[in-house]
Amino acid sequence: DDLMLKELEEKRDDLISQMENTLARAKDENRKLTDDETSFFNASKTEVENIINKINEEKKEFVEMREFKNLTPEDVEVKQFANTIRGIVNSDAPTTKSTAGAVIPTKVWGEIIDEVVALSPVFERALKIYEKGNITLPAYDSSNSTIAMSFVTEGSATTDGTSVALKSVQLSSYLARILCRVSISLINATDYDIVGFVVDKMAEEIAIFLNQKLILGNASSPSIEGLTGIPSGQTVTAVANNTINADDLIKAQELVPDIYKQNSIWIMHPTTRTAIRTLKDGQNNYLLERDFTARWGYRLLGNEVYCDANCQQLGTANNIPVIYGDLSGLAVHLAEEPNIRRLEERFAEEHQIGLLGFVEFDAKVCNAQKLARIKLGSATV
């Protein structure tokens, strides 16, 4: 504070004055400094240098505190997060070694999610639910519902019954871990946007992991359904295990009502897209069109095609090489507030630190009529 700075400056000036008097006295007497005077001068010089460094630190902290007071609450959180990564403990954005890194700030997590959305169209288009704990979603069961409408005579009673069936979709919360390793040299570069770097790297890891689980699910514990939950009623079974024909694609697309086709996309492995590129319709036109206006460069039967290496490939019976539909039919539950910890010792010999993060989520099909898939048969052609 101002009082401490004033005391330090007064002490510095007093020592400098004593040093100057010592030199002046020896000069007036036309002699060299005595041993005692030399010891005093050197000790005072060292102390002055230490005081000057302390004054500079105090002034720097004062400037940071003044800047801190002008920050928005969101910017304060980001600054605290950056301090956590750098291992800084200071008063302008309170961070202590015992509590550093408890929670990723909302603003930073929002940026990570934005990055994940940009990297993962499956997560981007899914129905995202941010709630703590397990949740239950009501869903319309079209296969067990009847809603009848008919002509009636005025004054007559209603004889046609109506039955609307609802089923529930249970979404749990499973803990997943992210480990991001960061160079200490990068951290020490104070002008480098360390938060932006971490956002990019964590988002990349989350996107890769989520894409895999949303497409393939997780058969072992924990059991995450993802798009494997598309029911048999929304499945077209191909004759062969090594090829898909035009009819299979058309049938899969027709399983999704027209109202949902506008926002639908195709999802497949790059090798499956390569195989589909040779398919033609009855007028000898290729089904898969190169379209530079499309987000991923191709359209199939009017909808964009997204290739993902996580998708199953042709060649194995019962594989699901193609998924089609409006991905808002998939619900993704994000339960736990994301958090991160700084690991200082684990990668110390590699001149790195680890940033260990946790995310809690689950994913299930919540509206099956928006989605369809093609399943490979057992024959080989």
Side-chain angles (χ1 to χ4, degrees):
D1 55 20
D2 291 343
L3 181 59
M4 181 181 290
L5 276 175
K6 184 177 180 181
E7 290 176 350
L8 288 170
E9 288 171 347
E10 288 177 350
K11 187 174 182 180
R12 175 202 61 193
D13 294 343
D14 182 57
L15 284 170
I16 291 174
S17 178
Q18 292 183 50
M19 292 166 64
E20 291 174 344
N21 291 337
T22 300
L23 291 174
R25 187 164 53 249
K27 184 177 180 181
D28 290 343
E29 296 174 0
N30 195 25
R31 61 176 175 81
K32 293 181 179 181
L33 295 177
T34 66
D35 291 342
D36 289 342
E37 288 173 333
T38 300
S39 297
F40 168 77
F41 188 89
N42 291 335
S44 298
K45 181 181 177 182
T46 299
E47 189 172 358
V48 167
E49 290 173 349
N50 292 335
I51 291 174
I52 290 173
N53 290 335
K54 181 65 176 175
I55 289 173
N56 290 336
E57 289 175 5
E58 291 293 329
K59 287 183 176 179
K60 180 181 178 182
E61 184 172 341
F62 176 77
V63 170
E64 290 177 346
M65 289 179 66
R66 184 175 58 192
E67 293 175 350
F68 169 72
K69 291 177 181 178
N70 296 326
L71 295 177
T72 64
E74 292 80 9
D75 289 334
V76 170
E77 288 184 340
V78 173
K79 188 171 180 63
Q80 290 173 330
F81 185 60
N83 286 347
T84 296
I85 297 171
R86 290 194 163 98
I88 296 173
V89 180
N90 60 19
S91 59
D92 65 306
T95 309
T96 66
K97 294 235 181 241
S98 60
T99 62
V103 175
I104 299 177
T106 302
K107 181 176 179 179
V108 175
W109 178 242
E111 292 173 358
I112 291 175
I113 291 297
D114 287 344
E115 289 279 346
V116 171
V117 164
L119 293 167
S120 169
V122 181
F123 181 75
E124 171 193 6
R125 293 166 178 250
L127 172 65
K128 291 176 283 295
I129 303 167
Y130 300 89
E131 292 288 345
K132 293 184 178 180
N134 300 339
I135 62 172
T136 301
L137 295 179
Y140 172 62
D141 186 359
S142 59
S143 61
N144 294 305
S145 298
T146 58
I147 303 177
M149 184 171 181
S150 61
F151 289 105
V152 297
T153 301
E154 184 177 357
S156 64
T158 300
T159 56
D160 292 321
T162 63
S163 172
V164 178
L166 290 177
K167 59 182 180 180
S168 61
V169 177
Q170 304 286 337
L171 285 163
S172 301
S173 51
Y174 302 109
L175 194 62
R177 183 171 55 201
I178 313 160
L179 178 60
C180 178
R181 293 167 63 167
V182 185
S183 161
I184 291 176
S185 297
L186 185 65
I187 291 172
N188 291 339
T190 55
D191 58 340
Y192 191 85
D193 180 14
I194 192 66
V195 173
F197 175 85
V198 170
V199 165
D200 290 343
K201 290 304 174 185
M202 290 187 67
E204 184 178 338
E205 290 297 322
I206 294 172
I208 292 171
F209 182 83
L210 284 180
N211 246 24
Q212 182 187 56
K213 300 309 175 188
L214 298 188
I215 293 173
L216 296 178
N218 197 64
S220 59
S221 180
S223 178
I224 294 177
E225 184 179 273
L227 289 170
T228 64
I230 298 174
S232 58
Q234 294 295 108
T235 301
V236 172
T237 301
V239 173
N241 62 35
N242 61 340
T243 187
I244 293 174
N245 60 40
D247 288 348
D248 296 328
L249 295 168
I250 292 170
K251 289 176 183 177
Q253 189 178 52
E254 287 304 306
L255 286 175
V256 175
D258 289 351
I259 191 173
Y260 300 127
K261 285 188 173 72
Q262 182 177 355
N263 295 322
S264 292
I265 64 172
W266 298 91
I267 305 173
M268 62 187 70
H269 193 277
T271 57
T272 304
R273 185 182 67 185
T274 301
I276 290 175
R277 288 186 69 178
T278 62
L279 298 180
K280 296 181 181 180
D281 61 15
Q283 286 74 44
N284 208 36
N285 297 313
Y286 286 107
L287 295 182
L288 187 66
E289 305 170 358
R290 195 79 171 96
D291 185 350
F292 293 103
T293 65
R295 182 172 175 181
W296 304 289
Y298 286 93
R299 287 186 185 275
L300 175 61
L301 299 175
N303 293 109
E304 295 185 349
V305 179
Y306 168 65
C307 286
D308 194 296
N310 291 306
C311 292
Q312 294 178 333
Q313 300 184 55
L314 300 173
T316 303
N318 297 319
N319 266 7
I320 309 294
V322 175
I323 297 170
Y324 173 79
D326 181 343
L327 291 169
S328 65
L330 176 69
V332 179
H333 175 215
L334 293 162
E336 181 183 332
E337 188 173 35
N339 57 80
I340 188 170
R341 292 286 176 180
R342 174 187 165 102
L343 306 180
E344 295 190 17
E345 301 300 328
R346 183 171 174 182
F347 307 109
E349 65 180 15
E350 299 175 48
H351 204 242
Q352 295 178 332
I353 66 159
L355 297 175
L356 184 62
F358 294 91
V359 178
E360 201 168 357
F361 79 102
D362 191 12
K364 284 186 179 179
V365 171
C366 62
N367 192 341
Q369 64 178 335
K370 291 185 176 183
L371 299 163
R373 63 182 183 175
I374 296 177
K375 182 180 180 179
L376 296 177
S378 56
T380 300
V381 297

